[in-house]
Structure formats: structure tokens, C-alpha cells
Amino acid sequence: MSERTGTSARIAGQREPESGGTPPVNDSAFARWLADRAGQVLLQVRAELGHADGKALKTAGDKAAHDLLRAELARWRPADAVLSEEDDQSRLAWADGQDVVRPDRLDASRVWIVDPLDGTREFSEEGRADWAVHVALWTAECGSASCLAAGAVAMPAQHRTLATDHPPAYPPLPLAAATGGPIRIAASRTRPPAFVTALAEELGAELVPMGSAGVKIAAVVSGEADAYIHAGGQYEWDSAAPVAVALATGLHASRIDGSALEYNQADPKLPDLVVCRKDLAPRLLAALQRHLP
């Protein structure tokens, strides 16, 4: 073990959450409070470890943010279940007849779905700000298919958090779109799916590369992009929080076949989605049927 790797392990294993005071009672405000606290811990980890050992930095960041979120949820929402990317067996798909314990979240009425660090690659690269913390709340009693009651996406390196307690205003129609210019599709900067490239060519759209899924959806919410389309494989924690904010803003969010996004399922995989302006949804969904992978 290198000295730096050993240092990262000590930081990840020994950091105790600093007192953040009494959090808000409202679930949406609480989601924002949680995401912001985890974001501050991630900035601290980044400052302490530096970027010389990217793997160690990713590991330390994931663990520190996960431990904080788990500790605060256990303290302030002890009756609620939690699904975190960093949980043991978080990716396990449960089914009747399996010789495994049924996850308690499947019988819970309230489940926090969290991604402690969305965009670990970007987090580990010096100067990059396109990484995020996701905190969402799923409730059994709901009036929509997604059942997302609250959500927050903190982008600590951008000093910005989007949350459902104060949803952003619906993004104005971009001048380029109003004058017939190309729509902008947020895409992976390292591995955009081939079908998205083909879709962009058909639509005459511009691909805007950026990091984490949360940052991409935040770009649609804020009007920096017109759509985000993904079909390369994701899990519920990748999209729950940003989708909650997008829906609260009034944007369209669905699977790429147009069906509803559903969370707290027995299989946590949620491999594809499209988030876009509502006026673009019919056009994008129709084009996607010609390019589905």
C-alpha cells in the first residue's frame, strides 16, 4: 500500500461527520441539506488528498460521502429505508424464490435513493466541476409513476444545488431553437452511445459533452442543454434525484420508449431515460424509435 493510498484509507475510515445543526423537517429541504453536507465532505477529501492518485481519491470520496449520508439518515430518518450505490449488494436484483434476504426497502413506505458521488471520474480529475451528489426520496403513497417525493442534486465544485424545495423555473426556449437552430443534447464526454450520435445526426442536433448524469440533467433543467438521453445502463440512484428535480421543474422525463420511470423496484437497474423540454418530447421519442439500441 502506498503512503497516499494509506492516507486515503485513513481519511475515509476515520472521518466523523461534523455537526450540521438540526436539519429541516420538510423532506425536500432535508434532501438539499443532506446533499450539501455530503458535497462539503467531498470537497474536503479532494483538498486533503489531491489528485496524484486518482483511484485512491475516488475510493475515499465514495466512502466519505456514503458514510455521512448513511449516518445522517440513520439519525434523522431512522424509520426510512435507504438504497445507496455504495451499499453491499446494492446492484442485486431480488426475485421470489431466491436464497437471499428480501431487501427491507421493498416493504418500506419511504426509501431514500442516494448516489454519494455521481461522476467519480470527474471528481478524480483536477479542475473538473461536473460531478454531483444525489439524494432522492421515494414514497409508496404517491400520485405519479415515479413516486419521487423529494430530490436534490448538489454540484459542490460549482457551488450550486438544485432541489425540489425550490424548483428552478422552467427553462426559457433557447434562441437557437426559436430560430430553427440545432437542439443541444447532453452526452457523455468519454463514451456517448452510438445511437445518440446517430440520433443527433438525424436531428441536426449538437452533442454537448459533460460528466455525471446528475450534471447532464441539471444542464437541461437550467437550459444549458435541451435534452439528455441515455441507454448505456444505469441504476436508480443515477437518475432518481435529478429526475425528481426535472419533474418538479415541469420537464419531460421517461424511459426512451416513452414509458414511465419507476423507482424502488426489485431490480435496481434503470438502464435508459430521456429528460427534455416538453415541446421536444414527441419529436425525440419518435426519432428514438428508429435508433433504439
Side-chain angles (χ1 to χ4, degrees):
M1 179 183 290
S2 70
E3 180 179 351
R4 181 169 291 275
T5 301
T7 300
S8 73
R10 290 193 297 273
I11 289 174
Q14 295 180 6
R15 171 175 280 105
E16 294 292 336
E18 297 176 2
S19 174
T22 302
V25 175
N26 175 273
D27 286 325
S28 288
F30 179 67
R32 181 191 291 271
W33 180 85
L34 270 182
D36 283 343
R37 292 210 62 215
Q40 290 304 309
V41 165
L42 286 166
L43 289 175
Q44 183 181 349
V45 170
R46 228 183 181 197
E48 291 175 352
L49 290 188
H51 295 80
D53 187 338
K55 183 177 180 180
L57 180 56
K58 292 177 186 178
T59 300
D62 271 331
K63 178 169 175 50
H66 169 78
D67 288 351
L68 181 139
L69 291 173
R70 271 290 190 174
E72 297 293 19
L73 285 167
R75 180 181 183 186
W76 299 107
R77 297 292 191 274
D80 296 352
V82 180
L83 172 62
S84 168
E85 179 183 14
E86 300 305 314
D87 287 333
D88 292 338
Q89 299 185 322
S90 62
R91 291 166 172 78
L92 179 67
W94 186 89
D96 287 324
Q98 285 183 326
D99 188 22
V100 294
V101 176
R102 177 181 171 88
D104 61 354
R105 65 181 179 82
L106 297 180
D107 300 309
S109 60
R110 290 166 52 93
V111 181
W112 292 92
I113 303 174
V114 302
D115 189 344
L117 175 52
D118 182 52
T120 53
R121 179 195 297 266
E122 289 72 26
F123 175 75
S124 70
E125 296 179 11
E126 189 169 6
R128 296 208 68 92
D130 46 348
W131 49 276
V133 177
H134 296 180
V135 177
L137 173 64
W138 175 94
T139 59
E141 297 182 5
C142 60
S144 66
S146 72
C147 291
L148 295 172
V153 179
M155 293 160 280
Q158 300 180 27
H159 308 289
R160 183 164 67 119
T161 300
L162 304 180
T164 54
D165 59 339
H166 297 292
Y170 192 84
L173 184 67
L175 180 61
T179 57
I183 64 173
R184 301 156 300 166
I185 299 177
S188 170
R189 68 185 183 94
T190 57
R191 52 187 186 281
F195 87 96
V196 171
T197 301
L199 178 71
E201 290 176 355
E202 176 186 329
L203 298 174
E206 173 189 357
L207 292 181
V208 183
M210 57 185 73
S212 88
V215 169
K216 293 184 185 78
I217 296 175
V220 181
V221 170
S222 63
E224 300 165 58
D226 301 301
Y228 169 50
I229 302 165
H230 182 83
Q234 288 184 344
Y235 289 86
E236 292 184 7
W237 49 76
D238 290 307
S239 64
V243 163
V245 176
L247 292 174
T249 301
L251 294 166
H252 170 89
S254 72
R255 300 287 300 271
I256 59 176
D257 63 1
S259 60
L261 294 163
E262 297 182 352
Y263 294 89
N264 196 36
Q265 300 299 295
D267 185 348
K269 284 185 178 178
L270 190 53
D272 59 75
L273 80 163
V274 54
V275 178
C276 64
R277 298 174 52 83
K278 282 191 172 179
D279 52 290
L280 289 176
R283 180 183 174 194
L284 285 178
L285 291 172
L288 277 166
Q289 297 311 303
R290 298 189 289 272
H291 294 279
L292 287 177

